[in-house]
């Protein structure tokens, strides 16, 4: 009798669809999209809301979001892209500057058509979108950004008679000179903070390396890049930052928390680390974008953040593209920015974070954001970074042009594999 009843159910259901695969019942017509996201990129509460909304709008899809650790993620992603495994990821969050190495391996789906026709590629922050491109093809889709701003002591600014945050580099130097007195450091800027230097170089029209016909060449010895280094030298001298170390040695948050530093350059979230070490600074910290050469726009900054990519081998292409479209679209991208204090992927969405001073400053700078040279071999440059040694040598009195030529040769040698 039980078999007869089951048979009748199946026959009846077949009039609508195949037995056991009614839409929305968890049958075989439902597909699972496996998504790898990095730890702390999004809160669990955000992911729960997104999943419920997405699955409601896509009744034929289930989301399986798996949180990954940053440590060792490069090898793990490379393995997943090379594997012919239906249980592998269909969407992966990757660091924006990591995209070129995955594109180079041929494992990513080309999303140029969707990016241009549906997702507003021309409006994306360049620091997120450019690393995701190769020869005008779009593989990495911008998700969120974070970049450096100036974190400052409002009380020390007032004591020095600096009534408003500077908006030009000339005003920034003048204000920092005033702040660098009475036992206070005008700014704590480590000698090897090469990400901050890169912004000054870009502002001058220079670059860290340039590409011509597939050949990459170090570019620190150009006149524009040397002007950027000269500004860095003058600014760094208005404090006691170590010339032979970067911003993490010692951690600059601890130096700022000591109470004698007027400014540092870092992501806004660094302020929380400062307050944890010195709660007395509560209410005394402010933020402004890194100043540019003139008041028309903030200075260029290195843009960090994440892109979303789709493995070429995915067997749920339509579902994977739908997930990328939803996560990077205006609704959920601005919601993520509000929830996690990020910069949205388009400058016109920055109003979503306008109420938070630090994030608003970051968003203003992100509009001028850039990324490191878009080649998978850039990792070889950072592994034994000649830019750091160049900076220290200049700050200790060596001839800038000579040191820039030497560092540029080392960058070129590290990038030769890409030719």
């Amino acid at each position: 009798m039980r078999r007869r009843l089951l048979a009748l159910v199946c026959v009846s259901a077949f009039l609508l669809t195949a037995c056991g695969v009614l839409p929305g019942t968890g049958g075989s017509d439902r597909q699972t999209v496996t998504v790898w996201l990095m730890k702390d990129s999004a809160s669990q509460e955000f992911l729960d809301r997104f999943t419920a909304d997405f699955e409601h709008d896509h009744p034929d899809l289930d989301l399986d979001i798996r949180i990954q650790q940053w440590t060792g993620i490069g090898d793990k992603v490379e393995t997943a892209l090379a594997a012919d495994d239906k249980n592998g990821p269909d969407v992966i969050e990757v660091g924006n500057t990591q995209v070129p190495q995955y594109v180079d391996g041929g494992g990513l789906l080309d999303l140029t058509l969707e990016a241009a026709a549906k997702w507003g590629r021309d409006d994306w922050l360049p620091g997120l979108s450019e690393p995701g491109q190769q020869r005008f093809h779009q593989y990495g889709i911008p998700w969120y950004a974070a970049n450096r701003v100036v974190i400052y002591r409002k009380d020390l600014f007032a004591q020095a008679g600096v009534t408003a945050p500077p908006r030009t580099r000339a005003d920034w130097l003048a204000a920092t000179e005033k702040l660098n007195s009475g036992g206070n450091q005008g700014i704590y800027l480590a000698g090897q903070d090469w990400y901050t230097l890169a912004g000054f170089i870009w502002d001058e029209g220079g670059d860290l390396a340039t590409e011509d016909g597939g050949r990459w060449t170090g570019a620190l010895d150009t006149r524009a890049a040397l002007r950027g280094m000269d500004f860095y030298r003058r600014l760094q001298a208005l404090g006691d930052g170590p010339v032979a170390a970067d911003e993490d040695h010692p951690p600059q948050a601890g130096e700022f928390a000591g109470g004698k530093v007027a400014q540092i350059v870092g992501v806004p979230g660094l302020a929380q680390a400062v307050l944890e070490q010195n709660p007395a600074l509560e209410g005394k910290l402010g933020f402004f974008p890194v100043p540019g050469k003139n008041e028309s726009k903030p200075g260029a900054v290195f843009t960090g953040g994440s892109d979303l990519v789709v493995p070429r081998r995915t067997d749920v292409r339509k579902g994977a593209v739908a997930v990328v479209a939803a996560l990077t679209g205006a609704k959920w991208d601005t919601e993520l920015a509000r929830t996690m204090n990020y910069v949205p992927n388009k400058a016109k969405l920055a109003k979503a974070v306008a109420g938070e001073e630090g994030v608003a400053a970051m968003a203003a700078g992100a509009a001028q954001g850039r990324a490191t040279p878009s080649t998978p071999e850039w990792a070889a440059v950072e592994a034994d970074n000649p830019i750091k040694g160049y900076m220290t040598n200049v700050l200790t009195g060596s001839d800038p042009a000579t040191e820039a030529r030497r560092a540029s040769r080392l960058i070129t040698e590290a990038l030769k594999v890409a030719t």
Side-chain angles (χ1 to χ4, degrees), residues 3 86 139 261 283 299 337 387:
R3 291 181 180 176
K86 293 184 179 181
Y139 297 91
V261 175
I387 305 173

Side-chain angles (χ1 to χ4, degrees), residues 36 38 68 72-83 89 92-94 98 101-102 108 309 311:
W36 283 8
M38 301 309 299
Q68 309 296 316
I73 190 60
D75 290 341
K76 190 170 184 178
V77 171
E78 293 278 13
T79 299
L81 294 178
I92 308 174
E93 175 193 352
V94 299
Q98 295 175 331
Q101 72 187 71
Y102 303 134
L108 299 184
V309 300

